[in-house]
Amino acid sequence: MATIKQVAKHANVSVATVSRVMNKSGYVSEEAKEAVEKAIAELNYAPNRVARSLYKKSSNLIGLIMPDITNPFFPQLARAIEDVANQHGYQVVLCNTDEQLEKEQTYLVALQTMHVDGLIITTNHSHNPNYETLDLPMVALDRIVKAGIDAVVSDGYEGGKLAADTLLQHGATRLAHIAGPDHLKTVKRRTEGFVEVAGEKLVGMTESTFTFKDALKASQELFDHAWPFDGIFAANDVIAAAVLQEAVRRDIRVPEELQVIGYDGIELGEMTSPPLTTIVQPIYEMGRLATERLLDLIEKKDTRPREMLLPVTLLERHTTKRKER
Amino acid sequence: MATIKQVAKHANVSVATVSRVMNKSGYVSEEAKEAVEKAIAELNYAPNRVARSLYKKSSNLIGLIMPDITNPFFPQLARAIEDVANQHGYQVVLCNTDEQLEKEQTYLVALQTMHVDGLIITTNHSHNPNYETLDLPMVALDRIVKAGIDAVVSDGYEGGKLAADTLLQHGATRLAHIAGPDHLKTVKRRTEGFVEVAGEKLVGMTESTFTFKDALKASQELFDHAWPFDGIFAANDVIAAAVLQEAVRRDIRVPEELQVIGYDGIELGEMTSPPLTTIVQPIYEMGRLATERLLDLIEKKDTRPREMLLPVTLLERHTTKRKER
DNA sequence: TTGTAAGCGTTATCAT
DNA sequence: ATGATAACGCTTACAA
């Protein structure tokens, strides 16, 4: 790769002049400009971002810290983030923490020493002392790290209520629920909302992680102990898929005998049989918003509100009945 | 963040000495070493990777170029890559190209100017002139870029044959197939293998992209035009899921009336009803191998073979019958 | 064993 | 309008 020095020599000007035309800063004669541009083209020059980083203390890199890209909720988020970052000339460094504090810690210093300009974090360790001392622009996504750190999340509480409402309105009278991991506050909200409106109608409830295996086990337990119920809300779509699978194994007809509603709106829900009714979070939108917010923070345009609570919607596919009346 | 200069002052030595203890290079007295280590601890010093990059012309960054992380085949790959990269002190920057030559091009220069040490590419543009001129270590993954570039792929041809064999052995007599996009050579191999052993028994065949919507459309067409058949092989698991969904919509019992086999072995296959029998590629393994190979290339330990063809296995879940006899 | 200083490729200040 | 040059934080000859 050519350097600015070579370009300068080639164009018979100084490096300062080359820098000026690259950055459109300061005065430069038409003549010089043309010579430089010609040299740049001929040498196929592109400025060395590492050198620029060193001087400017800014790398146009953002760090993306998530539990596990393999969890089907995250790829869409990552995609959104990468899209808008890229549109603004930033690249993203991907980090999978498996929710382990130690990995998180290691990444944090790696990211810091490479001078990323900001961080997007999807993590639960609100108590992680690291984030407090860190003075990097950052925004939490789908999780709330702590007051004082920007966050974008969707309205799980409303989502839970919406799920219960829907089930009830579609004629269900005995409701069940599989909650998500207890330590995820944003997920817990879904359960709270659901329980709130389900009230007396709630006849069974258990908990599961977001892996399919665990979800299957939880489903089986629930069917064993709490059956019969005619409406069930799962804390995410993966769990809902497990419920569905277990239901067909038991020859329970969905939605005639049992209606099921998932949560998230990931593509998986489209692929089950029957296709899954679900509460959709605007996942891509969340990623987009978080990244735009981060970029604003980085560029010191610290304007918009600090926490964004996005609305959630019902997507009726075929695991709920067509609305009565 | 503290700099090496501050550490030096704090420890009453020169920056050279600090550098020596950081890198365990050259001589340094026990005394000095201790003083430096103490200073490092006290100032919480971590060397600036940008500065180091500039001097060493190596960033400990690797670029990961893939079509779309949102496609369920890729997250596992990305995870594997990130895992082994991380174990070796490298970070990965994620790039989604949507298979667009132009985006690919843009990323390539961005990555190059930030001095990534190597590239892992999952792309089809074998004719992309960019890769030829680029002199960066790189390995192609799941795709073959061109002779001369390292690649790790799995044995699609054997996979296709295995699928046909299995269907036949399990009593199917009228075979159908939905192929993947024509421009993906590694995917085409699956079709070739399948067709090879299906022979006369092949009664219907069509083609689809890897999006679920398209796959559903293709399935419907196939059912409309080629029915009846009692065994079908889909070029990947997403297409297989579409076939499954369409089959239940038509009240075709799987596997009694129709056996289906997918390809890839992604988690989705576990979540369908019934769970999908599939040809599994060792996805994580492929990512791991590719990355290890890349790291070897980067570190000039250019030893192992240049192309790796990984074996594929049959995972019998419930869309095929239990073996007869 | 240790320190001085050049150099990595930029940007920006300050003369001219 | 342009060119020298210091500075960014590090590594590594080379000298001492």
Side-chain angles (χ1 to χ4, degrees):
Chain A
M1 286 244 76
T3 72
I4 198 175
K5 230 176 191 162
Q6 297 173 305
V7 174
K9 179 176 288 178
H10 203 84
N12 260 326
V13 296
S14 71
V15 295
T17 302
V18 178
S19 181
R20 284 189 196 99
V21 350
M22 291 291 314
N23 302 297
K24 305 185 198 317
S25 67
Y27 294 96
V28 37
S29 65
E30 197 50 39
E31 211 179 359
K33 188 175 160 204
E34 274 167 23
V36 169
E37 275 164 354
K38 183 153 161 284
I40 287 177
E42 279 174 7
L43 299 180
N44 196 243
Y45 169 73
N48 180 327
R49 279 173 64 177
V50 177
R52 185 180 294 203
S53 276
L54 181 58
Y55 185 90
K56 307 260 277 187
K57 291 167 172 339
S58 144
S59 58
N60 276 38
L61 246 30
I62 78 182
L64 173 54
I65 298 191
M66 39 177 59
D68 182 7
I69 188 77
T70 257
N71 172 329
F73 174 71
F74 293 113
Q76 263 191 76
L77 227 40
R79 182 50 140 110
I81 292 164
E82 207 269 306
D83 280 354
V84 353
N86 190 243
Q87 281 158 22
H88 294 258
Y90 285 74
Q91 267 67 52
V92 358
V93 177
L94 178 65
C95 309
N96 296 102
T97 61
D98 292 318
E99 302 201 352
Q100 289 172 222
L101 207 64
E102 195 195 326
K103 280 198 181 182
E104 213 168 293
Q105 176 64 4
T106 310
Y107 277 119
L108 242 27
V109 342
L111 258 15
Q112 219 178 351
T113 63
M114 67 204 278
H115 275 270
V116 298
D117 293 335
L119 249 37
I120 294 201
I121 53 186
T122 345
T123 181
N124 329 292
H125 299 290
S126 7
H127 49 291
N128 188 153
N130 309 311
Y131 293 118
E132 322 212 350
T133 55
L134 223 56
D135 80 329
L136 257 181
M138 55 195 225
V139 1
L141 185 43
D142 185 47
R143 319 274 168 118
I144 292 171
V145 174
K146 64 169 283 229
I149 291 180
D150 281 57
V152 2
V153 300
S154 72
D155 196 341
Y157 187 72
E158 277 307 317
K161 283 169 60 175
L162 182 52
D165 262 346
T166 305
L167 255 12
L168 260 13
Q169 287 217 14
H170 289 211
T173 56
R174 299 173 57 82
L175 268 26
H177 176 53
I178 301 184
D182 191 55
H183 64 288
L184 299 180
K185 289 208 189 76
T186 49
V187 174
K188 216 167 174 177
R189 296 293 284 155
R190 327 230 272 209
T191 296
E192 291 167 1
F194 183 77
V195 168
E196 162 89 24
V197 349
E200 305 273 292
K201 307 272 176 64
L202 186 65
V203 303
M205 175 154 157
T206 183
E207 185 183 317
S208 167
T209 71
F210 287 155
T211 68
F212 187 75
K213 251 189 196 40
D214 284 348
L216 209 49
K217 217 181 305 170
S219 304
Q220 288 163 357
E221 255 179 57
L222 195 66
F223 278 112
D224 284 343
H225 299 335
W227 187 254
F229 40 85
D230 55 8
I232 179 169
F233 170 50
N236 84 348
D237 287 343
V238 170
I239 298 180
V243 169
L244 232 44
Q245 190 178 89
E246 187 58 22
V248 338
R249 267 212 7 197
R250 293 178 185 236
D251 282 317
I252 296 168
R253 284 166 306 134
V254 174
E256 294 81 359
E257 283 177 79
L258 172 63
Q259 303 187 66
V260 359
I261 298 188
Y263 197 101
D264 274 351
I266 61 177
E267 223 195 345
L268 162 65
E270 207 180 321
M271 308 189 192
T272 57
S273 305
L276 185 66
T277 292
T278 195
I279 306 294
V280 351
Q281 300 192 63
I283 306 184
Y284 190 92
E285 184 71 2
M286 287 164 66
R288 189 176 68 70
L289 249 22
T291 313
E292 284 173 354
R293 175 67 180 149
L294 181 64
L295 262 18
D296 280 356
L297 247 28
I298 290 173
E299 283 152 19
K300 309 305 205 243
K301 301 186 221 151
D302 191 349
T303 54
R304 283 178 291 162
R306 315 210 99 224
E307 282 205 15
M308 299 190 237
L309 217 213
L310 269 55
V312 114
T313 58
L314 172 70
L315 174 54
E316 295 196 64
R317 283 192 287 230
H318 303 299
T319 56
T320 44
K321 300 179 188 166
R322 296 289 126 201
K323 198 150 177 186
E324 295 173 0
R325 135 194 44 158
Chain B
M1 285 243 77
T3 73
I4 198 175
K5 228 175 193 164
Q6 298 174 302
V7 174
K9 178 174 290 179
H10 204 84
N12 259 324
V13 297
S14 73
V15 295
T17 303
V18 177
S19 181
R20 285 189 195 101
V21 349
M22 292 289 315
N23 302 299
K24 304 185 200 316
S25 68
Y27 295 96
V28 38
S29 67
E30 196 51 39
E31 210 180 0
K33 190 175 161 204
E34 275 167 22
V36 168
E37 274 163 356
K38 184 153 160 282
I40 288 177
E42 281 175 5
L43 298 180
N44 196 242
Y45 170 72
N48 181 326
R49 281 173 63 176
V50 177
R52 181 179 286 186
S53 275
L54 181 58
Y55 184 90
K56 307 262 274 188
K57 291 169 173 334
S58 144
S59 57
N60 276 37
L61 248 27
I62 78 182
L64 172 54
I65 298 191
M66 41 177 56
D68 182 7
I69 188 75
T70 258
N71 172 329
F73 175 72
F74 293 113
Q76 263 191 80
L77 227 42
R79 182 52 139 107
I81 293 163
E82 206 268 306
D83 280 354
V84 352
N86 190 242
Q87 281 157 24
H88 294 258
Y90 286 74
Q91 268 66 53
V92 358
V93 353
L94 177 66
C95 309
N96 296 101
T97 61
D98 293 319
E99 302 202 350
Q100 288 172 222
L101 207 66
E102 195 195 325
K103 279 196 182 187
E104 214 168 293
Q105 175 64 3
T106 310
Y107 278 120
L108 242 28
V109 342
L111 258 16
Q112 219 177 351
T113 62
M114 66 203 278
H115 275 270
V116 297
D117 293 335
L119 249 36
I120 294 201
I121 52 185
T122 346
T123 181
N124 327 293
H125 298 290
S126 6
H127 49 289
N128 188 154
N130 309 311
Y131 294 117
E132 323 212 352
T133 55
L134 223 55
D135 81 329
L136 257 181
M138 54 194 226
V139 1
L141 184 44
D142 186 47
R143 318 276 168 114
I144 291 171
V145 173
K146 63 169 286 228
I149 291 181
D150 281 56
V152 2
V153 300
S154 72
D155 196 339
Y157 188 72
E158 276 307 318
K161 283 169 60 175
L162 182 52
D165 262 347
T166 306
L167 255 11
L168 258 15
Q169 286 216 17
H170 289 210
T173 56
R174 299 174 56 82
L175 268 28
H177 177 52
I178 300 183
D182 192 56
H183 64 287
L184 299 179
K185 289 208 188 75
T186 51
V187 173
K188 215 167 175 177
R189 295 293 283 155
R190 341 231 251 228
T191 295
E192 291 166 3
F194 183 78
V195 168
E196 163 88 24
V197 350
E200 305 274 291
K201 305 276 176 62
L202 186 64
V203 303
M205 175 154 157
T206 183
E207 186 183 319
S208 168
T209 71
F210 287 154
T211 66
F212 187 75
K213 251 188 196 41
D214 284 347
L216 210 49
K217 218 182 303 170
S219 305
Q220 288 163 356
E221 254 180 57
L222 194 66
F223 278 111
D224 284 344
H225 299 334
W227 187 254
F229 39 85
D230 55 8
I232 179 168
F233 171 49
N236 84 349
D237 288 344
V238 170
I239 298 181
V243 169
L244 233 43
Q245 190 177 89
E246 187 59 22
V248 338
R249 266 212 8 196
R250 292 176 187 239
D251 282 317
I252 296 169
R253 284 165 308 132
V254 174
E256 294 80 359
E257 282 177 80
L258 172 63
Q259 303 186 66
V260 0
I261 298 190
Y263 198 103
D264 274 352
I266 60 177
E267 223 196 346
L268 163 65
E270 208 181 320
M271 308 188 192
T272 57
S273 305
L276 185 67
T277 292
T278 193
I279 307 293
V280 353
Q281 301 193 63
I283 306 183
Y284 190 93
E285 185 72 1
M286 288 165 65
R288 188 176 68 70
L289 250 21
T291 314
E292 284 173 354
R293 175 67 181 148
L294 180 64
L295 261 18
D296 279 357
L297 247 27
I298 290 173
E299 283 151 19
K300 309 298 206 251
K301 301 185 219 149
D302 191 348
T303 54
R304 283 176 292 162
R306 316 211 98 223
E307 282 205 14
M308 299 191 237
L309 217 212
L310 269 54
V312 113
T313 58
L314 173 70
L315 173 54
E316 296 196 63
R317 283 192 287 229
H318 303 299
T319 56
T320 45
K321 298 178 187 167
R322 296 288 130 204
K323 198 151 175 183
E324 294 173 359
R325 133 191 50 151

